[in-house]
Structure formats: C-alpha cells, structure tokens
Amino acid sequence: MEQSKIVSDTYERSHIKIPSATPGWSLDAWKYIPRAAAKQGLPVIIMAHGLSGNKLMGLAPYAEAFASLGYATVVFDYRRWGASAGTPRHVVYVSEQLEDYRAVIKYCRQQSEFDPHKVVLWGTSFAGGHVVTLAAERELNLSAVVAQCPYLGNSGPTKLSWAFIRTVLQGVVDVLRQAVGMYPKYIPAVAHPGEVGILSTPGSKQGMLSLVQDTRDYPNEIAASSFFELPFYNPNASAARITCPALVVAAEHDNLCILQAALELKGLSPRVELVVLPCEHFDLYPGSRMHEKSLEAMKAFLLEPLQPTSLLYNHYPKEARRASTASTIRKANIPQGNAWLHSPAARLVGIVLTFSLSVTSFKSRSKDFNVESSENWNRFTSSGAGFLALVDGCTVHAQSYSGTRGKLRNDVVERVSIQ
C-alpha cells in the first residue's frame, strides 16, 4: 500500500491524480517537491517507465536525486498500467502513451508551484523513445529531455525462431479477440530466450524482475497484440526536428535498445548529447553497477539548461560528460503514425507485413537462421518490418527504412568513458 505523503530531508512526496484524455480515467502520479527550494515557480521533470513497467519499479531514486538539485518531479503511470485507470489492462498503444505525457505536461503548466516555461521530460527504455518523439513537437515548448537507454526504432537483428513465430501468432489471436470485443490474450512481457514473450533477449527477464520489490507490483503480462506496435514506432524519424537540448544515456552492450540507434540519433540532431557507458541495458537502473554513472551524467546535464532555484549539487566537471558521434549515418525522414495505427485493422496490416516476410525468410533457412547474416535481411528491412503503412486522412504514406549495418566500433569516432 502506498503512503499518501512521504517527507524526507530533501523532498516531500505526495500522491496525486491527473486527468487523462479519456474521461473518467485518471493518471496515478507521485509529486516530488524539493524542501530547500521556493514553493512556487519550480522547474519540473515529468517521468514515466518503459515497456510494461510502472513507477514502483526503480523510478523513485531518480526523482529523489533530482529533488536534491532543486527540481520538482512528477512520476506517472500510463493509462492501463500501474495504478492508473483504464481497461483493458496492460495494452500498449504508443499514441495513447504519448498523449499521457502531453496530459501531464498540461497539468503541470496549470499548477502555480511549477514554472510553465521550465518543463523537462524524462523517460527510460520505451519511454526514452517517447521523450525523443515529443522533443520534436515544437508546440510543447520543452526545456530539455533526458532519455536513458531509449528505444529509438531499431532493436537490432531479429533471430527467427519458433518462439518468435508463436509470439506473433499469439498477437494475431489477440487482435482478433479484441476486434470482436473479447478480453485480450495475454503473454509474458519479459521471458527467457526461446520462450514466448515481448522482451526475450538474454538477461531481459532477470533484469526487469530485479526492479521489482513486490511481485504483486509487476504481473509480467502484456496484451500480445502490443508486439505489433514496435515495428511501426520510430522515434528517430523526427530527430531532425528536435527543438530542445536532449541527453541520451546509452548502454554500449544493450541488446534491447541497441547503441547503434542512439548513434544514429546523435548524427541526426545537433541538439543531442550522447553518453555511452560500458554496460548492458539493465545495468543503468538503481542497484546496478552503472546506475550512479548514469545519474551523474543526468545531474550534470540538468544543472545547465534550467538553473533550478536551489542547487545542493552545484558543481559537476564538464569532463564528466561526453558526446559520441557517428560517421556517415544516413538520415531518415519517416512520417509519424496516428491513432489509426492502433486499431485492429492497422495491427492486421502489421501482421501481414511482418509475419509473412518472416515466414518466407524462415523457410529459406534452417531453424537457427539469423536474419543479420542472411541475404534476405536487406529485403526484410526494406520491405517488411521497416515498411510503414501510414494513413493520414485520405493519404497513404509508405516509406522504407534500412538502418546502418556497419560495425559499432567503426561507427564511433570518439568514445570517452565517465571515470
């Protein structure tokens, strides 16, 4: 049971409800107010978790650290997730989660305790992609964004297996069930390699569960059709339009949100500062070996753009930050999707594009076939998972995207570790 109010030496945390875009569905949130700062006009950081996560899973240490810098923080759960309202539960709609961020931005700007001109977005993993996407929306007038190990539209090579095919088939079943008004078909959000699940790379299940203090807080389930949101979501597509300073903290050996996507983002926008730490995806979270390094990079970044009113940490050497650059990264300009993409019809389009090409490639190889090493990979990325069928009014946009396939160590020009 959550406490309604927590008071420490550096912050006060209260429990609030924020109206969402769906009438009657509120977003459950924590509000952190630094005790050493003025009670009005505070810069505010808005935070949310990644795919299938909720605010109970390791977000409090970040908010507490930001409060010590003089920032107010609002940490929220998306509709259908965590303690927020919304049914059916545990379904991912990218457009809905982006809309939830916008709803919290609107709420914060209406509160006198926050400075409406000093709004920062923070996101990790899937939510890291969300804040990168929103940073390109000029009308939001954001001050900065921080993305930790963000999903940026390129999750790396896909190893086709029977577990992958079973996951896709479960997604098909879920689309059909929800299309006729039935309850979703759920699968594990995180799973071991070879098992059905959305995130099943080595270490994903152990890493996610390490963030859970009480198993009741994380049921490890997700609507199977959520799988089809990923091929259509490419935060890097709008990178050239990013309007505010953006910090990306990436893990060099990340097998969920690969470093190459972060390097592409850096190449696409001069507003992006990239910090790369020598670790894996979940090593950046509280309790893991690189968490403090990630947090120090964020603190250094946050002390510059907004100059919060109370700085208990008032000096961070600039050499503690670094930007990695990539050589010759092809720019992509892929139209963003809209709400149509989250309808049953759109998900069926995704099934046809993704599954049919996967099966074709799979038949041409043995069961151990790895897409990256096959000649079919170029066809797969250019006409399959990378193909976006986007409907905007009466106009259909279709464009392919093929990510850079060069070796990481050839892409990186400068790599300086934080000591």
Side-chain angles (χ1 to χ4, degrees):
M1 189 72 177
E2 292 184 32
Q3 294 178 264
S4 59
K5 189 168 185 177
I6 297 175
V7 179
S8 78
D9 292 338
T10 57
Y11 66 87
E12 296 180 2
R13 190 184 91 180
S14 56
H15 196 179
I16 61 175
K17 298 287 185 179
I18 299 174
S20 77
T22 304
W25 291 7
S26 61
L27 304 176
D28 193 86
W30 295 331
K31 179 177 68 175
Y32 288 79
I33 299 296
R35 297 192 69 189
K39 299 304 179 184
Q40 289 191 331
L42 292 168
V44 60
I45 300 174
I46 297 170
M47 300 175 56
H49 220 307
L51 191 73
S52 81
N54 62 68
K55 65 182 184 297
L56 293 172
M57 298 167 63
L59 295 192
Y62 295 98
E64 293 164 10
F66 299 152
S68 71
L69 299 178
Y71 282 88
T73 308
V74 174
V75 188
F76 75 97
D77 288 329
Y78 305 112
R79 280 171 284 180
R80 310 176 192 270
W81 294 91
S84 291
T87 56
R89 304 296 294 171
H90 304 153
V91 182
V92 173
Y93 296 111
V94 169
S95 63
E96 194 171 87
Q97 294 187 354
L98 293 171
E99 197 172 49
D100 289 344
Y101 262 106
R102 297 186 193 101
V104 180
I105 293 169
K106 178 181 178 180
Y107 169 86
C108 289
R109 284 185 164 143
Q110 292 173 341
Q111 311 306 308
S112 61
E113 58 199 330
F114 304 136
D115 186 335
H117 304 294
K118 295 182 179 180
V119 177
V120 178
L121 300 188
W122 185 99
T124 186
S125 197
F126 204 55
H130 294 343
V131 302
V132 168
T133 298
L134 294 168
E137 296 185 9
R138 186 176 299 275
E139 62 274 16
L140 292 180
N141 193 28
L142 300 173
S143 296
V145 300
V146 177
Q148 178 178 260
C149 52
Y151 174 79
L152 297 171
N154 183 353
S155 57
T158 301
K159 185 174 182 179
L160 296 178
S161 65
W162 290 117
F164 174 81
I165 292 175
R166 292 201 309 272
T167 300
V168 173
L169 290 174
Q170 296 277 34
V172 174
V173 171
D174 185 33
V175 169
L176 297 175
R177 285 173 62 91
Q178 293 196 54
V180 296
M182 296 178 66
Y183 207 64
K185 170 67 176 177
Y186 291 107
I187 61 174
V190 290
H192 293 298
E195 298 178 347
V196 171
I198 300 291
L199 307 177
S200 59
T201 57
S204 292
K205 186 170 184 178
Q206 300 94 314
M208 185 72 85
L209 296 183
S210 71
L211 302 176
V212 181
Q213 295 184 343
D214 187 331
T215 55
R216 293 173 296 181
D217 297 333
Y218 184 68
N220 189 22
E221 70 171 22
I222 189 170
S225 60
S226 300
F227 174 83
F228 299 117
E229 290 285 296
L230 274 64
F232 293 101
Y233 189 38
N234 181 20
N236 271 359
S238 56
R241 300 194 300 275
I242 290 176
T243 60
C244 63
L247 173 68
V248 174
V249 181
E252 182 180 3
H253 307 296
D254 200 324
N255 61 9
L256 281 175
C257 304
I258 64 172
L259 175 58
Q260 184 167 315
L263 294 171
E264 291 175 1
L265 175 63
K266 171 64 180 174
L268 290 167
S269 173
R271 307 306 301 271
V272 173
E273 178 176 340
L274 177 60
V275 174
V276 181
L277 296 176
C279 62
E280 298 180 356
H281 187 89
F282 288 100
D283 290 335
L284 298 176
Y285 289 91
S288 297
R289 64 189 183 92
M290 282 292 172
H291 170 65
E292 290 300 324
K293 297 294 186 183
S294 177
L295 193 57
E296 286 298 313
M298 295 176 193
K299 289 177 179 178
F301 175 79
L302 289 169
L303 286 176
E304 288 191 2
L306 302 185
Q307 299 177 350
T309 55
S310 173
L311 303 181
L312 302 185
Y313 293 85
N314 57 16
H315 177 68
Y316 288 89
K318 289 188 177 180
E319 56 267 24
R321 300 165 54 192
R322 61 118 186 242
S324 296
T325 57
S327 62
T328 316
I329 299 174
R330 186 167 71 87
K331 294 187 178 182
N333 183 22
I334 305 174
Q336 291 296 303
N338 55 28
W340 178 86
L341 287 174
H342 312 301
S343 67
R347 288 191 166 181
L348 284 171
V349 170
I351 293 167
V352 172
L353 291 170
T354 304
F355 185 62
S356 64
L357 282 156
S358 298
V359 171
T360 301
S361 296
F362 187 75
K363 285 181 177 180
S364 70
R365 295 281 180 172
S366 68
K367 64 180 179 180
D368 294 324
F369 159 73
N370 187 308
V371 180
E372 187 182 31
S373 62
S374 168
E375 291 299 323
N376 283 331
W377 172 246
N378 288 329
R379 292 198 298 274
F380 185 83
T381 54
S382 63
S383 60
F387 183 87
L388 306 182
L390 305 175
V391 173
D392 183 9
C394 297
T395 304
V396 176
H397 302 283
Q399 188 165 345
S400 63
Y401 171 66
S402 178
T404 307
R405 297 182 61 217
K407 294 297 183 181
L408 271 179
R409 297 189 185 279
N410 293 330
D411 285 341
V412 180
V413 174
E414 180 184 2
R415 306 175 67 205
V416 182
S417 297
I418 294 180
Q419 302 299 322

